[in-house]
Amino acid sequence: MNAKILEAIAIILVEYARNHKTITYIDLSKGINNAIRPVKLGDPLGEISVIAHELGLPLISVLVINSTSRLPGDGYYPLASQLHGISEDQAMNDFEKEIDDCKQCKDWNKLLEYFSGKSENSKTIAEISSKVTVNDDYEEILQEVDTIENETVEQKSIRIKRNQRIVYDLKEKYKNKCQIEGCGFTFKKKDGNCYSEAHHLDYLSKGGKQVANNMVILCANHHRMFHYADVKISDMIKGSRKVYINGEGFSIKYIC
């Protein structure tokens, strides 16, 4: 995907997040000078959310909604399922919380710095968008998308493929219980199973491996802490790993 287009989209989404707003696909397309049609925005939005997730940020693509239903696009739910290690049904139930997380997040500079570096953060949306040109791959929108009913669009994207088998096996191994010693927090889902989340200790985007020893099963509370707090993780010694969250020490327990 064209880096300038991704940067332009990211800047727009961050501005909307900071202003506690959502944006429609049509308005987002207009914001990048119609460089991508609204129905084609799914792929770049997915790429940006993958990057945001690996930076420890919420899935910012959830802020882009259908102008009629006022809901995220259908592509958001499988993406959230993959990144959060949850079912698509759970992703559908949780999208409002994800929107709220986006609006409350104070670390969006991480995403801007990823695309443009600290020295580029002063660029305005207009300055970035003015550099985005329409080419054969991203033709100008020719019709009002709201008039299209039940249009089927084939989409292709490049994303980090997640090994859900490892996640499933680890959740089974730890019985969906948080590996932080003494935590005990969980809740039962509608299907009767306890809820848990999988976290990659070394982010995949920074060379982390999709292997069991790079993953830990956490409760929702500790998973948020791992992403948003000041966290330092030590090496594993004798089946235990020390982790410091905002200076407070905890232990991650492993089952051999």
Side-chain angles (χ1 to χ4, degrees), residues 230-242:
D230 179 19
V231 177
K232 295 179 175 60
I233 304 171
S234 67
D235 294 332
M236 185 164 58
I237 300 176
K238 295 181 179 180
S240 181
R241 189 193 301 266
K242 290 292 291 185

Side-chain angles (χ1 to χ4, degrees), residues 57-166:
L57 303 169
L59 307 187
I60 197 166
S61 62
V62 75
L63 295 179
V64 187
I65 60 174
N66 181 281
S67 59
T68 301
S69 70
R70 313 304 295 179
L71 297 173
D74 290 340
Y76 167 77
Y77 304 107
L79 178 64
S81 172
Q82 293 176 16
L83 296 180
H84 289 322
I86 59 177
S87 68
E88 290 189 26
D89 286 343
Q90 189 65 44
M92 291 178 184
N93 291 332
D94 291 351
F95 83 88
E96 290 181 334
K97 182 179 185 301
E98 195 79 25
I99 288 177
D100 187 59
D101 287 344
C102 287
K103 293 177 179 178
Q104 299 303 320
C105 179
K106 305 298 182 183
D107 296 325
W108 287 120
N109 274 345
K110 292 181 181 179
L111 186 62
L112 300 180
E113 289 167 9
Y114 178 92
F115 286 109
S116 59
K118 293 182 180 179
S119 63
E120 300 293 317
N121 283 346
S122 59
K123 289 183 179 179
T124 65
I125 295 172
E127 288 173 329
I128 295 294
S129 296
S130 66
K131 297 180 181 179
V132 177
T133 56
V134 178
N135 55 36
D136 291 339
D137 293 324
Y138 305 110
E139 67 272 22
E140 286 188 64
I141 184 169
L142 300 178
Q143 56 186 316
E144 182 68 24
V145 173
D146 275 346
T147 65
I148 301 175
E149 295 184 2
N150 300 326
E151 178 179 4
T152 299
V153 178
E154 181 181 358
Q155 294 185 343
K156 296 180 180 179
S157 62
I158 299 175
R159 295 174 181 159
I160 299 173
K161 187 175 181 179
R162 304 297 172 121
N163 192 327
Q164 293 301 315
R165 170 53 59 181
I166 296 177

Side-chain angles (χ1 to χ4, degrees), residues 190-254:
K190 293 178 180 178
D191 63 7
N193 293 318
C194 290
Y195 179 79
S196 64
E197 299 177 358
H199 175 75
H200 288 90
L201 298 175
D202 294 324
Y203 292 150
L204 301 184
S205 63
K206 297 182 179 180
K209 303 297 183 182
Q210 295 199 63
V211 293
N213 62 10
N214 187 41
M215 299 174 69
V216 61
I217 302 304
L218 300 171
C219 67
N221 290 340
H222 277 114
H223 196 187
R224 293 297 180 188
M225 291 181 194
F226 269 59
H227 279 294
Y228 297 118
D230 179 19
V231 177
K232 295 179 175 60
I233 304 171
S234 67
D235 294 332
M236 185 164 58
I237 300 176
K238 295 181 179 180
S240 181
R241 189 193 301 266
K242 290 292 291 185
V243 58
Y244 295 88
I245 304 175
N246 292 336
E248 184 177 357
F250 299 87
S251 293
I252 301 175
K253 290 299 183 180
Y254 291 85

